Amino acid sequence: MEFSNAKVAKLLRNVAAAYTLKKFGNFFQIRAYENAADGIENSTAEIYDLWQEGKLSEVPNLGEKIQGYLNELFSGGKVKHFVEVQDGIPPVIFEMLDISGVGPKTASVLAELGVKDLKDLRTKLKSGELVSKGFSAKIAQKVLKGLTEANQRGNRMLLPYAVAQAEKILNYLKNNADTLKVYPLGSLRRMVATVGDLDFAVCSKKPKEIVEYFCAMPGITRVVDRGESRATVVLRGGFQADLLVGEPGSYGALLQHFTGSKTHNIKLRILANKKGLSLSEYGVRKGERGKGKGEREESIKTETEEELYGMLGMQTPPPEIREDTGEIEAALNHRLPELVEIKEIRGDLHTHSNFPNLHPSHGPGVNSIEEIIKKAESLGYEYIGITDHTLAFSATSKEERISWVEKRTKFIQSIKSRTKDTRVLNGLEIDILTDGTLSVPDEALATLDYCIAGIHSGHADPKEQITKRLLSALSNPYVDIISHPTGRLLNERESSDADWDEVFRVAAKRKKILEINAHPVRLDLRDDLVRRALKFGVKFIINTDAHEVSQMDNMGFGVSVARRGWAEKKDIVNTWDWTKLTEWFRI
Ligand code: DGT
Ligand code: CA
Ligand code: CA
């Protein structure tokens, strides 16, 4: 059995579902399995590797009991308790749990109505058979949408996981004395939000030895393909890694070719042909490919990418924007943007603390406000904003919500007076409700330094409604920032549909900031929409949305999104100094 993180997490979710269906265990035990599954899914290390290294306790949310079961799983292949608790439950129920919006109870109803497998489910949803047997038409529609999404969802790595796995492989490759240079390639180097497989380019005079060394790397479950200067392997997580080895004289061409993207390469090749050059992974040659061989083709050295792009009379586009969306033309005109960099970030304005809240609208943070400030200081930030979720709109009165904000504001004021190095900003992340109104009244918002508003429900609402909700929040004088505007969750939920041009136009006009949320499952606003919004003059903030201080380290992933969206320092408000920022926020 392959113990990828996805498979282990799925197993724990199945156990949680089995507990629910058999009414076995209590709410907290069920939550424990679900939390453990979340922890494993978000882990950037392979859980099996951690087990081998005796580091299971380092995974967040993994209690001792579940650690014990995982030990049983990894050493013996199965867990007796898990087998027992799942016994008698039709397997199709567990399959259906992968569809967003289907929980154990819905799955069990569907199974009772005769659904045999996912294909059968689709057929029966489409034919109306389930509805005619009494299944809710509204839920049926949602399940069908979820099923279609689940089918389209490819098996791709989230960027931080890919980066962490790649880091290990890069270090391994660097450890070989015959490695002269090594770079990641493909979508990983371009920092795409999800990565299909990992690609690496080693520069070496001894390709064969490097290939052999790569194929002997620990953590490989299968060597798929091995050649003189390339290899493809499968890693424990179930993902592929490709290695390409190039000689120093043509390494620039190799690096350029396999960094991609494909569309960028195609455009570049046409350009090269016009200049009487031919490009390939093996190097640059004079004379168009296929029009002559041997003496008529003369190979030109390209040790670096800069030499290659220089030969074509252009600047070297940063890997993040090599998507053939205008970067080649810009590079030819020597007018590439100066993309924002992580070192220019001066603060994080979206963090969640554990400030007491009896009816939180959404999951609170793990750490105290003081701990968040300490972390911000360690990151060298000039300012830090604390933006807890408020009291749940549906469970509390207007007065309760106002008085809670007052209490919290007083507390943060007292902390502000004690904090020296990093300035503290008192914010909140409030909900944009389904009718477009906000979950906290204006009189309470007026007491804050700034306010973030976000959609946290009804993501699948029709385009007109999502647009209306966003525009309505943008029209509130106290709202400064819209968080994670599209609401997408990578590998889980699609972006909401909205009239983005209208949203961008209004945001720019009203001087409202859109967030680039750096949380690995969000990366929202998406890169392509960032680019579009910039054309309207929209300003952005890159925030981590950390619910735990270690997540404040995710800032770089948000910066990559901004870079892929062609954003420069001037476009990102948290690169601004305190004076400029507070002027904008009118603090
Ligand atoms: P991924 O792995 O799906 O996240 O995406 P990439 O971009 O890493 O794609 P991959 O691993 O198939 O190939 C790496 C790069 O190699 C790709 O970005 C461009 C280059 N490449 C691969 N196949 C072709 C091809 O058929 N034509 C051209 N022009 N370039 C290619
Ligand atoms: Ca790839
Ligand atoms: Ca590849």
Side-chain angles (χ1 to χ4, degrees):
M1 177 176 175
E2 219 180 66
F3 297 114
S4 67
N5 287 353
K7 283 199 176 146
V8 177
K10 171 72 180 153
L11 179 60
L12 297 179
R13 286 195 200 289
N14 288 353
V15 173
Y19 270 44
T20 307
L21 291 174
K22 290 193 171 173
K23 302 201 172 25
F24 182 91
N26 60 33
F27 170 80
F28 295 101
Q29 286 168 312
I30 295 171
R31 278 303 301 158
Y33 279 101
E34 284 164 355
N35 288 339
D38 286 345
I40 291 168
E41 265 168 4
N42 293 331
S43 166
T44 54
E46 275 297 314
I47 190 88
Y48 184 85
D49 293 345
L50 291 175
W51 171 72
Q52 278 193 322
E53 294 158 20
K55 290 185 187 162
L56 269 194
S57 58
E58 284 179 14
V59 183
N61 309 339
L62 217 56
E64 268 178 36
K65 189 144 187 191
I66 295 181
Q67 285 181 40
Y69 286 139
L70 291 186
N71 190 24
E72 187 181 334
L73 176 72
F74 294 145
S75 45
K78 64 176 179 202
V79 182
K80 194 162 152 260
H81 174 60
F82 291 0
V83 175
E84 279 167 12
V85 76
Q86 291 181 71
D87 189 43
I89 298 175
V92 64
I93 291 192
F94 298 121
E95 279 179 50
M96 285 191 281
L97 294 177
D98 291 341
I99 305 167
S100 110
V102 176
K105 284 174 193 144
T106 308
S108 139
V109 170
L110 288 167
E112 272 166 33
L113 290 173
V115 171
K116 286 187 206 62
D117 51 39
L118 296 186
K119 202 169 154 219
D120 188 36
L121 173 64
R122 172 177 292 273
T123 313
K124 288 185 166 138
L125 283 168
K126 283 198 155 170
S127 69
E129 182 185 329
L130 294 166
V131 174
S132 71
K133 283 182 177 171
F135 191 72
S136 147
K138 207 173 150 199
I139 301 179
Q141 213 176 9
K142 273 193 187 164
V143 174
L144 188 59
K145 187 161 181 262
L147 187 63
T148 308
E149 280 178 15
N151 285 343
Q152 286 165 351
R153 205 178 297 152
N155 189 21
R156 295 177 67 84
M157 293 169 252
L158 293 187
L159 188 57
Y161 172 89
V163 167
Q165 297 301 312
E167 197 73 23
K168 282 206 287 195
I169 298 174
L170 286 168
N171 284 335
Y172 176 81
L173 290 169
K174 278 181 200 158
N175 262 337
N176 190 303
D178 291 322
T179 296
L180 301 172
K181 283 188 251 183
V182 54
Y183 275 94
L185 301 165
S187 52
L188 177 66
R189 185 158 182 241
R190 302 197 313 279
M191 298 294 272
V192 182
T194 62
V195 173
D197 70 353
L198 303 174
D199 306 285
F200 301 93
V202 168
C203 173
S204 176
K205 288 179 180 155
K206 296 186 178 170
K208 259 196 203 154
E209 281 83 345
I210 297 288
V211 167
E212 185 146 328
Y213 176 71
F214 177 70
C215 293
M217 184 169 62
I220 288 179
T221 53
R222 197 158 59 90
V223 175
V224 179
D225 195 17
R226 179 201 295 232
E228 296 269 303
S229 62
R230 59 172 70 205
T232 297
V233 301
V234 178
L235 304 167
R236 180 130 48 225
F239 294 104
Q240 251 180 234
D242 284 346
L243 171 79
L244 295 143
V245 192
E247 303 263 350
S250 58
Y251 186 66
L254 179 78
L255 194 54
Q256 193 288 316
H257 180 83
F258 287 104
T259 295
S261 64
K262 239 179 233 180
T263 49
H264 174 90
N265 286 355
I266 291 167
K267 175 76 71 69
L268 206 63
R269 206 171 292 170
I270 295 171
L271 187 78
N273 286 349
K274 281 191 188 142
K275 290 187 183 283
L277 299 167
S278 79
L279 296 185
S280 82
E281 57 196 279
Y282 305 107
V284 182
R285 284 169 184 279
K286 272 217 177 105
E288 215 171 309
R289 230 169 159 201
K291 288 205 174 158
K293 285 232 162 11
E295 296 123 78
R296 282 210 278 150
E297 277 191 359
E298 180 191 326
S299 115
I300 310 168
K301 265 195 170 185
T302 46
E303 288 188 18
T304 64
E305 279 183 333
E306 285 72 22
E307 281 173 50
L308 189 151
Y309 283 106
M311 210 179 298
L312 299 173
M314 61 200 283
Q315 291 174 292
T316 302
E320 292 95 326
I321 61 168
R322 296 187 197 168
E323 302 288 350
D324 186 25
T325 53
E327 78 284 2
I328 291 178
E329 293 75 3
L332 281 167
N333 291 323
H334 291 257
R335 295 181 68 162
L336 278 176
E338 280 182 36
L339 304 180
V340 60
E341 292 181 42
I342 178 83
K343 62 171 196 258
E344 292 165 341
I345 298 293
R346 294 176 189 242
D348 189 345
L349 291 197
H350 189 166
T351 63
H352 292 268
S353 79
N354 63 6
F355 184 80
N357 183 338
L358 284 179
H359 297 284
S361 57
H362 308 283
V366 173
N367 300 98
S368 66
I369 294 179
E370 289 91 335
E371 284 168 332
I372 294 173
I373 297 169
K374 219 170 125 201
K375 173 73 179 180
E377 282 169 352
S378 80
L379 290 168
Y381 283 163
E382 209 170 311
Y383 40 83
I384 177 75
I386 319 285
T387 49
D388 297 316
H389 292 296
T390 58
L391 295 187
F393 182 80
S394 53
T396 55
S397 69
K398 182 177 166 188
E399 289 69 35
E400 282 172 307
R401 291 197 298 282
I402 293 176
S403 108
W404 181 84
V405 174
E406 274 172 9
K407 206 165 88 190
R408 185 176 167 281
T409 293
K410 273 199 193 120
F411 180 72
I412 295 189
Q413 295 297 6
S414 75
I415 287 194
K416 275 187 186 179
S417 56
R418 283 182 271 137
T419 311
K420 293 188 301 286
D421 297 340
T422 301
R423 308 226 192 207
V424 180
L425 286 161
N426 175 24
L428 283 177
E429 187 187 20
I430 62 171
D431 294 334
I432 305 171
L433 303 170
T434 38
D435 62 357
T437 58
L438 301 174
S439 59
V440 174
D442 283 2
E443 57 207 280
L445 299 183
T447 67
L448 302 170
D449 292 329
Y450 71 106
C451 169
I452 303 183
I455 291 182
H456 294 95
S457 61
H459 299 277
D461 282 350
K463 182 173 178 176
E464 298 69 39
Q465 200 174 343
I466 296 281
T467 309
K468 199 179 128 222
R469 290 170 78 184
L470 291 169
L471 294 182
S472 158
L474 289 169
S475 74
N476 183 294
Y478 299 106
V479 169
D480 300 289
I481 300 167
I482 302 288
S483 54
H484 41 70
T486 80
R488 76 165 174 183
L489 295 177
L490 290 164
N491 287 347
E492 201 179 319
R493 185 169 71 207
E494 298 298 315
S495 298
S496 293
D497 206 1
D499 181 346
W500 294 113
D501 281 3
E502 184 60 10
V503 171
F504 300 153
R505 196 185 61 75
V506 174
K509 187 171 141 221
R510 301 193 63 97
K511 295 185 87 182
K512 304 292 187 189
I513 301 163
L514 298 187
E515 181 179 72
I516 296 175
N517 190 297
H519 192 288
V521 303
R522 292 193 180 271
L523 301 183
D524 182 10
L525 200 60
R526 306 192 311 250
D527 46 20
D528 58 316
L529 288 177
V530 169
R531 178 100 186 268
R532 181 134 192 111
L534 284 175
K535 299 208 166 94
F536 289 80
V538 171
K539 297 286 179 211
F540 287 95
I541 186 156
I542 309 175
N543 285 326
T544 65
D545 196 357
H547 283 63
E548 210 265 303
V549 288
S550 68
Q551 292 172 357
M552 288 168 70
D553 293 327
N554 285 331
M555 186 61 82
F557 298 112
V559 173
S560 308
V561 175
R563 289 171 63 84
R564 287 182 54 78
W566 292 52
E568 302 190 336
K569 185 178 173 198
K570 65 173 174 25
D571 305 313
I572 308 292
V573 304
N574 54 329
T575 63
W576 298 352
D577 66 17
W578 176 251
T579 313
K580 191 165 176 199
L581 186 84
T582 46
E583 263 170 34
W584 177 283
F585 280 145
R586 302 172 307 278
I587 294 168

